[in-house]
Amino acid sequence: MKRIIIIVLGIALLVGLGIFTARLMSKKGKSDENLAAFNFDIKDTASVDKIIITEPNGMEMTLLRTPGGWTGGKGECVQPVLVSNILDALFNVRFKGYVPENSVKTVINRMSTIGIKVQYFQNGDWSKTWYIGGSTSDHHGTYMLVESSEAGKSDLPVIAEIKGLKGIIEPRFFADARKWQCSGIFAYQMEDIAEVNVKFTERPDRSFEVRKIKQDYLVKYGGKYLTTLDTNMVYRYLLNFKRINFENPNYELSDKQLDSLKSSKPFCIMNVRTTKGEKTKLKMFRRKSENGPEVDDFGDESPYDINRFWCELPSGQIVKCQYFSFNPILMGHIYFNPNRYDHVQSNGKR
């Protein structure tokens, strides 16, 4: 009996050692084979001068570092904060864990269909590529593959995270140029503006014009020039052009709807000319209200959205704007109330 017990214990010990050794070798192999799987980050983000983001549908966005800052691939303005988000992820990304073996095939298949590809270049040369395949079930990690010039491409996906941040990496990466576009329309200092002309097609009596003549200003409201003028009110009005942005690019209207909108009558046309001769023309169109008639800022009942409108930029692009942002430069009666001034007919004389 003692001999049998000793034999059984010996066999159990051998089995245990075998299992332990197998697990150890499995981990060692996985670590060796997937050395590249940990090599996500680039600490010298200042040397990164080009980023290419490609979505599964083939949409691609190129970002370039220039002496004046980051731009799109054709030199177009992009939002600096969005680039900073990518560089932050590139600096702080780290390995979090392995993908469970029974989920590897599913994750790989998912990455092949919805994965986002991100290529990084340092000092003009390709350095690293990320393959981003969606988030883990708890949304605290992201499935990723990485390929680098020094370590090659990892064989299996792993779970990555951004140091110090609970959340997923994927939302920082997109190739839709509209989402990258700078939203600024006007960013003028008061002294840079030579002329502003605002024409309300539905309410001509609300139309006005501000013109700079040397160091003085000429204001026309409702077709008449102001005979007396509070220059401080002119200053207050022009200071509003320091920062005027649109809310969003168009994600709603089809090409056919855009053509119809552009062929319709705008409710307002604004022309701005700077002292350097730069000209900007905006055409503004109403958006239909989804909640029935509403009362607009003029106190009139309107069937249109009183919070947002469509605006055609000089490039022809249609963007969505907020009245809240634009009213300070559209509502001239606040600054040039005809009840506060005397007028003469619009004969060019003050």
Side-chain angles (χ1 to χ4, degrees), residues 42-50 65 70 87 90-91 121-123:
I42 295 178
K43 294 304 183 185
D44 183 15
T45 57
S47 66
V48 176
D49 51 15
K50 183 178 179 180
R65 188 192 292 270
W70 285 88
L87 296 179
L90 184 59
F91 182 86
F121 296 77
Q122 291 179 273
N123 301 316

Side-chain angles (χ1 to χ4, degrees), residues 16-206:
L17 287 173
I19 293 173
F20 176 79
T21 302
R23 288 183 176 178
L24 185 63
M25 292 301 294
S26 174
K27 289 183 179 179
K28 182 179 183 298
K30 181 176 288 187
S31 176
D32 291 343
E33 292 175 5
N34 294 301
L35 181 63
F38 306 101
N39 192 27
F40 287 104
D41 64 311
I42 295 178
K43 294 304 183 185
D44 183 15
T45 57
S47 66
V48 176
D49 51 15
K50 183 178 179 180
I51 303 170
I52 302 176
I53 304 170
T54 307
E55 294 189 12
N57 59 8
M59 186 178 291
E60 184 177 287
M61 182 66 191
T62 299
L63 303 168
L64 300 174
R65 188 192 292 270
T66 71
W70 285 88
T71 71
K74 298 179 182 179
E76 63 272 30
C77 178
V78 296
Q79 299 182 52
V81 65
L82 300 181
V83 182
S84 295
N85 287 341
I86 288 180
L87 296 179
D88 174 71
L90 184 59
F91 182 86
N92 290 300
V93 67
R94 66 182 181 182
F95 169 81
K96 182 177 182 180
Y98 289 107
V99 177
E101 291 186 11
N102 60 352
S103 300
V104 169
K105 185 175 180 180
T106 300
V107 171
I108 291 177
N109 290 337
R110 185 179 180 188
M111 293 184 75
S112 66
T113 55
I114 68 167
I116 297 174
K117 179 181 177 182
V118 187
Q119 299 166 269
Y120 298 101
F121 296 77
Q122 291 179 273
N123 301 316
D125 296 322
W126 172 76
S127 173
K128 200 178 298 288
T129 298
W130 287 2
Y131 301 90
I132 306 172
S135 65
T136 57
S137 58
D138 62 3
H139 299 289
H140 287 170
T142 301
Y143 297 118
M144 293 179 64
L145 279 166
V146 63
E147 180 180 9
S148 64
S149 56
E150 66 272 9
K153 186 176 182 179
S154 55
D155 299 319
L156 296 173
V158 296
I159 301 172
E161 65 178 356
I162 297 177
K163 182 180 179 181
L165 179 68
K166 288 186 177 181
I168 54 179
I169 299 172
E170 187 178 13
R172 302 186 183 209
F173 300 89
F174 43 84
D176 190 337
R178 293 173 298 181
K179 296 180 180 179
W180 285 96
Q181 180 182 358
C182 293
S183 60
I185 297 179
F186 295 122
Y188 294 141
Q189 298 297 322
M190 179 187 70
E191 58 272 17
D192 296 333
I193 301 174
E195 182 178 353
V196 179
N197 186 295
V198 179
K199 178 183 178 183
F200 288 100
T201 59
E202 301 166 352
R203 294 289 301 272
D205 58 308
R206 298 280 191 178

Side-chain angles (χ1 to χ4, degrees), residues 185-186 188 192-201 207-212 237-238 241 266-275 277-284 311-314 326 329-330:
I185 297 179
F186 295 122
Y188 294 141
D192 296 333
I193 301 174
E195 182 178 353
V196 179
N197 186 295
V198 179
K199 178 183 178 183
F200 288 100
T201 59
S207 300
F208 64 95
E209 176 186 319
V210 178
R211 250 193 298 159
K212 185 176 183 180
Y237 171 75
L238 294 176
F241 284 86
F267 75 87
C268 181
I269 301 174
M270 169 176 275
N271 286 279
V272 178
R273 178 172 58 86
T274 69
T275 54
E278 299 172 353
K279 295 181 180 180
T280 302
K281 182 177 183 179
L282 305 179
K283 293 182 180 180
M284 305 170 202
C311 180
E312 182 180 356
L313 302 179
F326 272 75
I329 63 173
L330 293 181

